[in-house]
Amino acid sequence: MIKFNHFNFNVFDLEKSLKFYNDALGLKPVREKNAEDGSFKLVYLGDGLTEFTLELTYMRDRKEPYNLGDLEYHLAFVTDEYDQFYKHHKEMGCICYENPGMGIYFISDPDGYWIEIVPEKK
């Protein structure tokens, strides 16, 4: 048997990212790892419902934001509170793409990573 464990995003400003993920999605730190030499820090965020975590990697000596290329990848969340999240994300100004035909939208985090928001199928 094999199952998903975590997904990683490298972040330029850890505190800004932690605030965004808490405010936008309610994700909270569930564990951390600090390099012995202080060169990096890993913070794992959880949703409080599943074991899956989002790993934020902060590199202490990074001097410029990450180049995300064509951003042909994304992380997706499903919610039974789609309309409330949509309104909240609109107010936050973080919606970067909407596809009404598919009934989904994407938000962008402080580093430019896209996160898909999908309504729960009923």
Side-chain angles (χ1 to χ4, degrees), residues 71 93-98 105-109 112-115:
L71 200 63
C94 61
I95 295 177
C96 58
Y97 181 75
E98 297 181 52
Y105 68 93
F106 291 80
I107 60 175
S108 179
D109 86 348
Y113 293 106
W114 281 29
I115 301 148

Side-chain angles (χ1 to χ4, degrees), residues 11-50:
V11 299
F12 186 64
D13 182 329
L14 182 59
E15 293 309 313
K16 189 174 185 179
S17 293
L18 289 171
K19 180 173 178 7
F20 173 82
Y21 283 102
N22 182 54
D23 291 352
L25 300 166
L27 301 182
K28 306 223 182 291
V30 294
R31 72 181 185 282
E32 296 181 3
K33 177 175 176 45
N34 291 290
E36 287 184 22
D37 65 0
S39 62
F40 70 87
K41 181 175 187 172
L42 308 177
V43 179
Y44 295 85
L45 304 178
D47 59 16
L49 301 170
T50 67

Side-chain angles (χ1 to χ4, degrees), residues 21-80:
Y21 283 102
N22 182 54
D23 291 352
L25 300 166
L27 301 182
K28 306 223 182 291
V30 294
R31 72 181 185 282
E32 296 181 3
K33 177 175 176 45
N34 291 290
E36 287 184 22
D37 65 0
S39 62
F40 70 87
K41 181 175 187 172
L42 308 177
V43 179
Y44 295 85
L45 304 178
D47 59 16
L49 301 170
T50 67
E51 294 179 30
F52 185 84
T53 55
L54 174 60
E55 174 189 339
L56 302 181
T57 298
Y58 170 73
M59 305 298 287
R60 178 193 66 203
D61 297 331
R62 182 80 184 182
K63 301 293 184 230
E64 59 188 49
Y66 290 91
N67 178 345
L68 303 183
D70 292 333
L71 200 63
E72 293 295 325
Y73 55 91
H74 62 271
L75 185 61
F77 287 84
V78 64
T79 178
D80 61 354

